Amino acid sequence: MMLYRKNDAVLDFDLAKVIEQSRENPVFYVQYGHAAATRCSATPGRWFPTCRRTPAAGGVSREAAVERLTDPGELDLLRRLALYPRMIEAAATAHEPHRIAFYLYDLASEFHGLWTRGRDLPYLRFIINNDAEITKARLALVQGVVSVLASGLPFSACRLRTRCGS
């Protein structure tokens, strides 16, 4: 929560907001986005038994045809993911860690928006039962979200489980 403020901004610490489980709490919102994306991307083999995973990235294999991602929301999410390395560098150079917090919140927000649109418009769902290619491409996109959010949440539950060996 403290990193979600610019270093020259007054910090008004509101305990109620810190423990609130809503979009108004940026830490919860980013963690919730990570959890939702992880659930979605965890088992591509469930839908496509022949789907291979890349061990290094933990995601859908290289066979994902990301050129199938044509919806503006998908493309916006891809662009946001592509900005991550430059944003980290800029935040470090400027000594402004709040940029990372803002970026992660925006990424989670775009992911949630795409998820919601998929509930309303079935052709935008991440899992399309009769179209393995678009599903694999969307799961690769979701795995990118998981990876970036996890790297920005060093003390998230996913990291603690790994460190503790459970």
Side-chain angles (χ1 to χ4, degrees), residues 7-162:
N7 60 1
D8 60 351
V10 175
L11 176 64
D12 182 22
F13 190 80
D14 183 356
L15 183 60
K17 184 177 265 190
V18 171
I19 60 175
E20 184 179 321
Q21 294 186 355
S22 75
R23 185 180 181 141
E24 301 305 313
N25 177 344
V27 176
F28 171 79
Y29 195 63
V30 171
Q31 288 176 334
Y32 181 72
H34 176 267
T38 299
R39 278 190 312 272
C40 180
S41 69
T43 55
R46 175 177 163 194
W47 297 284
F48 303 103
T50 60
C51 183
R52 295 185 310 273
R53 295 170 62 92
T54 53
V60 177
S61 75
R62 294 181 197 114
E63 64 196 52
V66 292
E67 63 274 4
R68 294 279 313 270
L69 302 175
T70 58
D71 179 74
E74 294 168 336
L75 297 175
D76 288 345
L77 196 54
L78 276 173
R79 284 185 201 99
R80 174 134 350 243
L81 288 170
L83 290 174
Y84 188 59
R86 286 182 293 220
M87 185 280 311
I88 292 289
E89 183 179 355
T93 301
H95 303 287
E96 294 179 334
H98 67 274
R99 289 185 188 191
I100 300 168
F102 291 169
Y103 170 89
L104 294 174
Y105 183 85
D106 291 343
L107 177 64
S109 183
E110 283 189 33
F111 172 75
H112 286 300
L114 194 57
W115 179 280
T116 300
R117 287 183 59 222
R119 279 189 305 174
D120 297 337
L121 304 168
Y123 69 91
L124 286 178
R125 291 184 178 153
F126 295 125
I127 309 301
I128 305 294
N129 291 329
N130 59 354
D131 191 341
E133 281 196 22
I134 192 67
T135 297
K136 289 175 186 177
R138 287 179 178 160
L139 289 176
L141 175 64
V142 172
Q143 185 57 45
V145 171
V146 169
S147 179
V148 169
L149 290 179
S151 74
L153 293 169
F155 299 107
S156 68
C158 66
R159 296 286 183 124
L160 291 175
R161 272 194 313 255
T162 303

